[in-house]
Amino acid sequence: MGHRIGYIRVSSEDQQPARQLDQVPVDRVFIEYASGKDIHRPQLAQLLVFVRPGDTVVVHSLDRLARNLADLRQLVSRLTDQGVRVEFVHEQLTFTGDDSPMAQLMLSVMGAFAEFERALLRERQREGIALAKQRGVYRGRQRALTAEQVQVLRQRAQAGEAKTALAKAFGISRETVYQYLRQPESHGF
């Protein structure tokens, strides 16, 4: 009998990942703080390397594994081709690779709904921003750091300080550190 490996994904650090597999028995958990827009996620990559035939990957719901149907089908297929079962707790679906046409249909339909939901969310967000711009109240996201802080951040990064340490020191995410480092200095930073 293989291991039960949990995969939890939340979109931001302020969300609570614990509720996703609360009361679900697992031997190990991979927790991801990233968008599900694509499958290029570090914890997901580690999970894919870690699992062995006979293991079961347990995920709260389809949209936690992938937000679009193509990625969802690819991941489920990749895992089941390796002899790994995939369980989605919320939808009460399990995939083994020997799935019936009905199981494949359910995966496709539920995955399509997750993709549709994400598209609706983005559309509503764009509409809200457009309306706020028309009213003159939208200024965009506030910068996390001042121009002086960005300059210090760049100096410390050039001196070789680890990006994780910089993120912690400035109270921002590692991705935000990389975004500031990628910006050309002509932006006043």
Side-chain angles (χ1 to χ4, degrees):
M1 180 93 181
H3 293 97
R4 291 177 56 81
I5 294 108
Y7 178 74
I8 294 174
R9 183 188 65 76
V10 292
S11 298
S12 67
E13 298 266 344
D14 7 338
Q15 293 178 326
Q16 297 299 317
R19 71 163 188 83
Q20 286 186 24
L21 293 179
D22 188 37
Q23 309 285 322
V24 177
V26 291
D27 301 308
R28 177 161 179 185
V29 178
F30 289 84
I31 300 176
E32 193 91 67
Y33 294 92
S35 168
K37 67 180 179 178
D38 61 39
I39 59 173
H40 305 291
R41 293 174 252 146
Q43 291 297 304
L44 179 59
Q46 286 183 19
L47 177 139
L48 293 171
V49 170
F50 180 81
V51 293
R52 299 289 178 257
D55 287 347
T56 300
V57 172
V58 183
V59 185
H60 176 263
S61 62
L62 295 164
D63 68 336
R64 299 295 89 200
L65 187 59
R67 283 288 192 161
N68 73 60
L69 182 56
D71 289 346
L72 179 64
R73 292 180 66 112
Q74 177 189 353
L75 286 168
V76 170
S77 178
R78 178 175 175 180
L79 288 163
T80 57
D81 287 350
Q82 293 177 21
V84 176
R85 291 169 42 100
V86 182
E87 285 182 17
F88 296 101
V89 176
H90 181 72
E91 293 87 0
Q92 298 179 9
L93 294 173
T94 301
F95 297 92
T96 63
D98 297 324
D99 304 308
S100 69
M102 180 57 85
Q104 289 300 315
L105 175 64
M106 290 301 295
L107 178 68
S108 295
V109 169
M110 300 301 285
F113 274 116
E115 187 173 338
F116 178 67
E117 181 182 37
R118 184 178 186 325
L120 282 178
L121 180 73
R122 294 183 69 165
E123 182 180 1
R124 286 192 301 265
Q125 183 181 29
R126 281 192 300 273
E127 288 171 355
I129 289 171
L131 288 172
K133 282 181 178 178
Q134 285 176 355
R135 292 192 320 266
V137 296
Y138 182 77
R139 293 190 173 93
R141 179 181 278 187
Q142 297 298 316
R143 293 205 162 274
L145 302 179
T146 65
E148 294 79 23
Q149 289 173 313
V150 172
Q151 192 166 6
V152 171
L153 172 82
R154 285 194 170 136
Q155 291 168 350
R156 288 172 65 174
Q158 287 173 346
E161 191 167 338
K163 308 305 185 278
T164 302
L166 289 170
K168 194 170 193 171
F170 285 91
I172 57 178
S173 70
R174 272 193 341 237
E175 178 56 31
T176 303
V177 169
Y178 285 108
Q179 286 175 1
Y180 279 120
L181 295 176
R182 281 192 299 261
Q183 289 177 346
E185 296 209 29
S186 62
H187 279 116
F189 299 115

